[in-house]
Amino acid sequence: MHQQNQTLLQALNACVAACEHCASACLQEADVQMMVRCISLDRDCSDICALTARLVARGSAHAAHLLRECAEVCRLCAAECGQHQHEHCQQCAEACRRCEEACRAGLAA
């Protein structure tokens, strides 16, 4: 169980980092207005992943509820970032997909 949580925590933390980087990089793009939804989802995804990681790490009874929501937000963020050709968006989309899979696997365990 500990190893499974380690894998999940790594995916959650990697997603936080990728989303934070993506949001910051999107703010530097020439057409920031076009990136508003991406930035918004990056921020939401980063926050839910960070909170979920804390609850999983402490073995909270509420972790399962957040894992479901986290998987959904990661799915939405991956879909949005995947629409943009910027390298930071593509990297974020991949981190979000891995995190969604890890959250779903955590729920199944």
Side-chain angles (χ1 to χ4, degrees):
M1 185 65 163
H2 178 71
Q3 181 56 39
Q4 182 182 12
N5 279 349
Q6 285 302 107
T7 301
L8 175 56
L9 290 171
Q10 288 171 351
L12 288 162
N13 289 320
C15 196
V16 169
C19 287
E20 290 293 335
H21 172 71
C22 187
S24 293
C26 285
L27 287 170
Q28 302 303 313
E29 295 295 336
D31 188 359
V32 175
Q33 189 60 40
M34 183 182 83
M35 305 306 293
V36 168
R37 178 151 169 78
C38 187
I39 295 165
S40 178
L41 278 167
D42 284 338
R43 294 177 70 212
D44 287 352
C45 193
S46 175
D47 286 348
I48 191 99
C49 287
L51 179 58
T52 302
R54 287 193 299 273
L55 292 175
V56 167
R58 72 175 68 130
S60 172
H62 302 287
H65 171 73
L66 279 186
L67 281 168
R68 281 188 289 279
E69 186 62 24
C70 190
E72 176 63 12
V73 174
C74 285
R75 184 186 67 75
L76 294 171
C77 193
E80 176 62 30
C81 287
Q83 294 179 28
H84 304 285
Q85 295 307 309
H86 308 295
E87 184 64 24
H88 56 86
C89 287
Q90 291 299 311
Q91 290 174 352
C92 186
E94 183 56 34
C96 288
R97 284 189 284 274
R98 284 192 304 269
C99 192
E100 177 190 3
E101 290 172 13
C103 287
R104 294 196 190 286
L107 282 166

